[in-house]
Amino acid sequence: MIRFAFVILLCSQAALGYVLRKRAVDFVDPTTGGGSWLDNAGSGGGEPLNVVISAQSSPNVLTDSGVLNYAKALGFSTECLGIHIGGPQSANLGDGNGSVNQTVELREDFGSSIFGTCLESAAGGNHFRVFRQNGPTANTGALFLAVSQEEDVTKGHTISPDGYDVGRDKLVNSAIGKKSFGGVTYSTTEQDLTGFLQSGSAGINHGIAIDGVVKLLTVTIV
Ligand SMILES: *[C@@H]1O[C@H](CO)[C@@H](O)[C@H](O)[C@H]1NC(C)=O
Ligand SMILES: *[C@@H]1O[C@H](CO)[C@@H](O)[C@H](O)[C@H]1NC(C)=O
């Protein structure tokens, strides 16, 4: 009888711990569940998912409003007054949800949260799309980002040569260390991952070659 009660106590503590604790994995490799490290850009090619925000980040960072605030701390904001250039893209993160649309697209705001993204839409700049790994078979909560650097609108608003690697590195360089926005301070560490994306241009949107490195960010609210 006493032993039975003890088991129940352990179980309820484990359940509570699961809710409150950070996740035990950074992410699950999408290819193990039939997914891909390239999204579907609708052109026959895909954009590389070249940055992952680890599921071991502070849980608040991984929510819609949390990642938006984090992006603002890095100098990004939502798209210019709802003006959207190009359609949404979809990705299969191998989590059992199949192919899903991006949750949000964020653009570099050039120092003004309201009008800066309008400037970016005209002038080119850095932007990224966010996909969340939360399907039933790999519910990690990790965020997969397709980051790219665009040319200005006079050049057709396409990705710059090297735009995937350049955009990724700009984002990561603005993220590492301590950054704040809206009263929240973030501490971000970075790790290079190889062996997930192929280097080269096979299957990549616009045939732009990439170096194949995925940057894993772990973001902690301090
Ligand atoms: C994804 O976006 C496309 C284009 O806006 C839309 O037609 C489609 O219904 C969306 N799919 C889902 C599952 O929301
Ligand atoms: C993915 O699956 C989860 C759990 O089944 C569900 O809550 C979520 O809404 C799905 N995401 C999308 C974009 O359909």
Side-chain angles (χ1 to χ4, degrees):
M1 185 60 188
I2 286 170
R3 184 182 293 173
F4 183 62
F6 184 59
V7 168
I8 289 179
L9 182 69
L10 277 183
C11 289
S12 58
Q13 280 193 338
L16 196 65
Y18 177 76
V19 173
L20 299 180
R21 221 184 294 129
K22 287 191 291 188
R23 308 300 177 93
V25 296
D26 292 314
F27 62 90
V28 170
D29 177 358
T31 62
T32 62
S36 173
W37 284 90
L38 299 181
D39 76 5
N40 181 349
S43 61
E47 297 195 338
L49 301 172
N50 48 13
V51 173
V52 175
I53 300 182
S54 168
Q56 300 200 67
S57 299
S58 296
N60 273 348
V61 175
L62 303 172
T63 65
D64 284 357
S65 59
V67 73
L68 182 59
N69 196 73
Y70 180 62
K72 286 178 176 169
L74 309 190
F76 288 82
S77 63
T78 47
E79 287 194 84
C80 169
L81 305 175
I83 298 167
H84 190 101
I85 298 172
Q89 300 188 359
S90 60
N92 182 348
L93 299 181
D95 59 5
N97 271 0
S99 191
V100 296
N101 285 344
Q102 67 201 43
T103 59
V104 67
E105 179 168 356
L106 295 145
R107 291 175 181 276
E108 194 170 31
D109 79 3
F110 291 99
S112 157
S113 299
I114 298 172
F115 296 111
T117 50
C118 300
L119 197 60
E120 194 275 347
S121 291
N126 212 11
H127 85 288
F128 66 91
R129 306 166 192 280
V130 180
F131 303 92
R132 177 176 290 117
Q133 187 171 54
N134 68 345
T137 57
N139 185 10
T140 66
L143 301 178
F144 287 66
L145 275 45
V147 191
S148 57
Q149 170 80 21
E150 288 182 333
E151 294 187 311
D152 71 30
V153 95
T154 62
K155 293 181 179 158
H157 218 74
T158 54
I159 311 297
S160 310
D162 260 350
Y164 296 115
D165 292 347
V166 168
R168 174 201 62 198
D169 291 348
K170 272 183 65 176
L171 182 144
V172 168
N173 288 337
S174 65
I176 46 180
K178 284 210 170 70
K179 291 289 147 73
S180 303
F181 190 88
V184 186
T185 300
Y186 304 94
S187 172
T188 303
T189 58
E190 185 272 327
Q191 197 186 333
D192 280 7
L193 306 178
T194 54
F196 293 117
L197 278 168
Q198 304 280 320
S199 62
S201 61
I204 309 287
N205 196 28
H206 306 302
I208 292 169
I210 59 170
D211 61 13
V213 175
V214 174
K215 303 268 182 180
L216 176 68
L217 301 182
T218 305
V219 185
T220 306
I221 295 176
V222 294

